[in-house]
Amino acid sequence: MDPDATANLIYDRGAMARLRLIPQKREFFDLYSRASANTVEIASLLVELLERFPAEDGDLIVQIKEREHEGDHLTHEVVDLLNRTFVTPFDRDDMYRLAGAIDDVCDHVDEAAGNVATYGVEGVPEKAVEQARVIHQAARNLDAAVRRLEGFKDSQPQLIELRRLEDEGDRLVRDAVAELFNTVQDPIVIIRWKDIHERLEEACDALENAADVLEAILVKNR
């Protein structure tokens, strides 16, 4: 063989070693499952935080922040693997969107928890605890749906329930804000809790957005 051709072949093999030509399906789906499980964990910690606050000693806030960092880490792992994979198990843009949508849930939960810790609130309204429980249940449904992504299995029951929970979240935030204005006299307390209620609602919205992305992927790949 011509020496130059041999050199080119060696070079090409070296380049291809950096790009995976065969889709690592198991690895992608494992990462998505770990990310969705992480949303369940962070949502569970949020429920515990709001149920125990202000008796909570700060440990739950730290754990929530750790789960948020884990969400970032898993998103980076998905992106890195995508950048090293030539053929992906489904549309590349959808894979980016799904990773980002799942991570958004953790970001909003972390922000809401941080506000509870830093706003100087003295007690947690029951409506906020109910919001957290809805977020937790929605996260569990998202996790169940994501675990059915490999093979593009039907996850309509989980997605339908998740959307029902998001509607429940909408009702809760409306009732919570109305209750604030009707029962609380201190305008600072009203402002602070209105913001926290809205951050909790954003976490619920992020879960619905993740469900929308997931459903679009399933429709495209049936």
Side-chain angles (χ1 to χ4, degrees):
M1 180 180 290
D2 181 83
D4 290 336
T6 302
N8 288 336
L9 180 60
I10 293 171
Y11 175 80
D12 289 343
R13 285 176 177 169
M16 287 305 178
R18 294 189 295 271
L19 277 178
R20 300 178 185 226
L21 294 178
I22 300 174
Q24 303 297 304
K25 293 186 178 182
R26 180 74 260 167
E27 194 169 355
F28 278 116
F29 293 118
D30 282 348
L31 285 170
Y32 284 125
S33 293
R34 287 169 58 194
S36 64
N38 190 56
T39 67
V40 177
E41 291 180 26
I42 198 172
S44 177
L45 289 167
L46 177 68
V47 173
E48 188 176 355
L49 170 70
L50 296 187
E51 287 179 342
R52 290 173 51 185
F53 196 86
E56 199 277 318
D57 60 4
D59 181 60
L60 289 171
I61 295 292
V62 171
Q63 291 183 56
I64 287 171
K65 178 59 70 176
E66 288 172 349
R67 291 298 94 209
E68 190 274 330
H69 287 328
E70 176 66 7
D72 288 342
H73 171 70
L74 290 167
T75 301
H76 293 154
E77 281 201 49
V78 171
V79 171
D80 180 63
L81 184 58
L82 277 168
N83 290 338
R84 294 184 287 109
T85 303
F86 187 70
V87 180
T88 57
F90 53 94
D91 182 79
R92 186 178 297 271
D93 287 341
D94 286 339
M95 297 185 79
Y96 283 117
R97 277 192 286 270
L98 182 59
I102 295 173
D103 187 42
D104 285 345
V105 178
C106 296
D107 291 341
H108 289 303
V109 169
D110 177 59
E111 184 177 2
N115 288 351
V116 170
T118 59
Y119 278 5
V121 299
E122 296 178 354
V124 174
E126 182 57 31
K127 286 289 191 299
V129 178
E130 290 178 31
Q131 283 182 282
R133 290 170 181 158
V134 165
I135 291 166
H136 184 221
Q137 289 301 315
R140 291 179 63 186
N141 277 275
L142 177 66
D143 180 47
V146 168
R147 291 178 186 278
R148 297 183 64 78
L149 181 59
E150 186 172 9
F152 307 110
K153 303 178 188 74
D154 179 47
S155 57
Q156 278 302 307
Q158 292 81 14
L159 298 179
I160 289 170
E161 175 61 9
L162 196 157
R163 291 194 175 92
R164 186 196 70 77
L165 289 163
E166 198 279 331
D167 289 341
E168 175 68 7
D170 286 342
R171 182 192 66 78
L172 280 171
V173 73
R174 289 193 301 269
D175 291 351
V177 172
E179 187 175 287
L180 276 176
F181 283 104
N182 290 331
T183 63
V184 178
Q185 301 299 316
D186 187 339
I188 300 300
V189 173
I190 292 173
I191 291 169
R192 287 173 175 172
W193 269 109
K194 181 175 182 294
D195 183 67
I196 295 169
H197 285 305
E198 289 173 349
R199 298 293 79 74
L200 292 169
E201 175 58 16
E202 285 176 356
C204 224
D205 289 343
L207 282 156
E208 184 182 37
N209 180 56
D212 290 342
V213 174
L214 184 58
E215 185 170 52
I217 291 167
L218 294 173
V219 168
K220 289 179 184 178
N221 291 278
R222 281 177 185 155

